[in-house]
Amino acid sequence: MARRITIPVRSFGSEVGMPTVPELTGWLKGKRGEEADLTTYRLERSLDAQEEVAVPAAGGVFYGERWREAFQGMADGVLVDEPGIDPSAVTADARLVCAKRKGAWFSLPAPHLLGFRDAYMGDVEEFSETIATSYARLAREMRDAGVQGHILVADTADAIELEVLAGRKILFFPRSPEKFDLELLLEYQGALVLPAKDLARAQDLMERFRVRKLILLAPEAKDLAAATAFADPDMIEAGGYCEDGCPDYWKRLVDRAFIAR
């Protein structure tokens, strides 16, 4: 008799565009007496369609707007004074999201995508390490408020960022793996994230690095089945990163996240 193995779906975030005035007005009516703004709206909407996702993630690159505001000593993205953090707004977001969905992660841009510049420290490596350390502190504050972990959307494999931040509770998500130094990433991270169409690259990387999880982006059931040729099913996850049409995107992904045996 055929056996069906359900594969968990992990979210790397959902990008939410700007709402229309009627949409925002209607939403705000349900928020009377609560602190809420446009970022709050986008966070909630990013989660709305992820009910069946095993590891949901609120946010996306858009959440960088809120994250930037938590950095002190900055003027228009330039460090001009003693660096510091104010975690109050992001911890409030963490409590809101955790009340909406237990076990949620947060998705946001990796440090290099925020474009911070230094006019205070005068040392490139020290500045990069300071920003990454501040990221780690903010992430810890959010975890203390109930967040399970963080996804850092990345375009570049930066050694300082990876050394300071990569771990079980912070995953780097290369949104363009074909241009990304996956070898450098896997020196620090045990999760290999690949588009399903690039599955052929996985076996070689898994033989050369200690990979704990193989996460295939937007796979079909046949891609997940093919991955079992060199990976145990309990190592495999289906990943999703939605940039448009998100309600249907997540449902379709969950529906095809299985291996038929």
Side-chain angles (χ1 to χ4, degrees):
M1 186 174 179
R3 188 162 65 101
R4 179 170 165 143
I5 302 171
T6 299
I7 298 298
V9 174
R10 174 184 293 273
S11 170
F12 290 108
S14 285
E15 301 302 338
V16 178
M18 302 299 284
T20 64
V21 171
E23 286 173 340
L24 190 58
T25 301
W27 176 80
L28 284 170
K29 284 179 181 176
K31 293 292 178 182
R32 285 180 181 146
E34 302 177 35
E35 283 194 27
D37 60 12
L38 184 57
T39 299
T40 313
Y41 170 89
R42 296 171 84 183
L43 278 175
E44 288 199 0
R45 287 291 178 263
S46 72
L47 268 183
D48 280 346
Q50 297 186 41
E51 289 183 9
E52 298 177 64
V53 174
V55 187
V61 172
F62 74 83
Y63 193 65
E65 296 173 21
R66 177 86 90 217
W67 198 261
R68 286 171 66 93
E69 295 167 2
F71 284 77
Q72 298 178 316
M74 295 279 186
D76 296 324
V78 179
L79 185 66
V80 295
D81 205 343
E82 190 67 25
I85 59 167
D86 175 2
S88 55
V90 298
T91 53
D93 290 337
R95 288 190 291 270
L96 177 143
V97 164
C98 291
K100 191 173 178 69
R101 182 72 189 271
K102 272 188 177 179
W105 287 48
F106 260 75
S107 174
L108 63 145
H112 62 268
L113 287 182
L114 289 190
F116 285 149
R117 292 176 290 122
D118 176 38
Y120 178 78
M121 304 182 79
D123 184 288
V124 173
E125 290 191 1
E126 184 182 2
F127 174 68
S128 294
E129 187 172 344
T130 297
I131 297 299
T133 301
S134 296
Y135 256 66
R137 290 171 58 201
L138 285 169
R140 194 175 306 115
E141 292 276 356
M142 294 182 83
R143 290 200 302 273
D144 289 345
V147 172
Q148 291 300 297
H150 289 78
I151 301 296
L152 299 187
V153 182
D155 285 345
T156 300
D158 181 281
I160 291 176
E161 293 179 10
L162 291 168
E163 184 172 357
V164 174
L165 294 166
R168 289 183 180 271
K169 295 294 185 180
I170 299 181
L171 288 181
F172 280 79
F173 166 54
R175 59 179 173 180
S176 299
E178 67 278 0
K179 303 174 185 174
F180 202 90
D181 188 346
L182 292 175
E183 286 84 357
L184 179 58
L185 175 63
L186 291 174
E187 289 182 14
Y188 297 92
Q189 177 169 296
L192 170 60
V193 185
L194 277 175
K197 64 182 178 61
D198 294 335
L199 178 61
R201 298 179 62 190
Q203 186 169 5
D204 174 62
L205 290 167
M206 293 178 72
E207 287 173 354
R208 292 191 289 123
F209 296 93
R210 185 175 296 176
V211 174
R212 296 190 308 271
K213 287 287 181 187
L214 171 61
I215 307 173
L216 295 181
L217 279 172
E220 301 290 339
K222 62 182 177 60
D223 301 313
L224 298 168
T228 63
F230 50 85
D232 292 334
D234 60 3
M235 293 177 61
I236 301 170
E237 292 183 356
Y241 174 62
C242 184
E243 296 183 85
D244 190 36
C246 294
D248 290 342
Y249 176 92
W250 294 111
K251 184 180 185 313
R252 291 197 307 268
L253 182 56
V254 169
D255 286 348
R256 61 181 189 260
F258 68 89
I259 296 170
R261 286 290 181 89

